[in-house]
């Protein structure tokens, strides 16, 4: 465990129709509890019915929770944007940071930045950069 590598998982999904504020609070509360147990950190952004999430931590923990996330009926159309190994954590102070368009709009951010929303790799980098930019 001590020398186990870090990994990350970045995806976009569509929130279930009618997902409410209390549903969102439930998701976050449970996620933070479990992430604390599994030494996971990350950031979740919700905007226009879409979720964007970066999850990071020991590769085994990431794999375990990603399995849960993939079969969670509270969202659908999960698109993996990027995944892999990580040299250091991007969100080490956050069990799961949360933002929505009240705090910062990803759409506006993309419109202002030069990040591409067409090229898949560049889009993933843009999403990751946005998540890090809001966390500051
Ligand atoms: C958008 C979204 C993000 C989530 N993020 C996390 C997370 O960061 N950590 C986590 O443990 N569960 C997260 N969950 C909840 C999991 O899908 C799952 O409900 C929870 O981990 C319990 O897993 P289990 O149902 O396999 O026991 C998230 C769910 C959704 C819909």
């Amino acid at each position: 465990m001590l020398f186990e590598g870090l990994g990350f998982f970045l995806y976009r999904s569509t929130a279930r129709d009618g997902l409410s504020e209390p549903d969102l609070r439930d998701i976050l509360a449970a996620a933070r509890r479990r992430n604390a147990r599994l030494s996971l950190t990350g950031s979740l952004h919700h905007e226009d019915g879409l979720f964007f999430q970066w999850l990071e931590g020991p590769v085994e923990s990431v794999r375990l929770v990603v399995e849960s996330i993939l079969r969670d009926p509270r969202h659908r159309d999960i698109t993996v944007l990027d995944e892999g190994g990580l040299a250091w954590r991007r969100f080490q102070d956050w069990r799961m940071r949360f933002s929505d368009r009240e705090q910062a709009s990803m759409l506006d951010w993309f419109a202002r930045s030069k990040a591409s929303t067409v090229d898949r790799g560049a889009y993933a980098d843009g999403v990751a950069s946005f998540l890090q930019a809001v966390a500051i």
Side-chain angles (χ1 to χ4, degrees), residues 11 31 34-35 51 53 55 65 68-69 71-72 74 96:
Y11 72 88
R34 195 171 180 211
N35 290 352
F51 284 120
Q53 188 175 28
L55 189 68
V65 167
S68 295
I69 289 175
R71 54 165 193 262
D72 194 313
R74 293 170 292 186
M96 186 47 63

Side-chain angles (χ1 to χ4, degrees), residues 4 27 37 57 63 71-72 96 98 101 104 118 126-127 134-135:
E4 195 179 359
I27 290 173
R37 279 205 305 279
R63 195 188 53 76
R71 54 165 193 262
D72 194 313
M96 186 47 63
F98 179 75
R101 70 173 309 164
V118 180
V127 171
V134 237

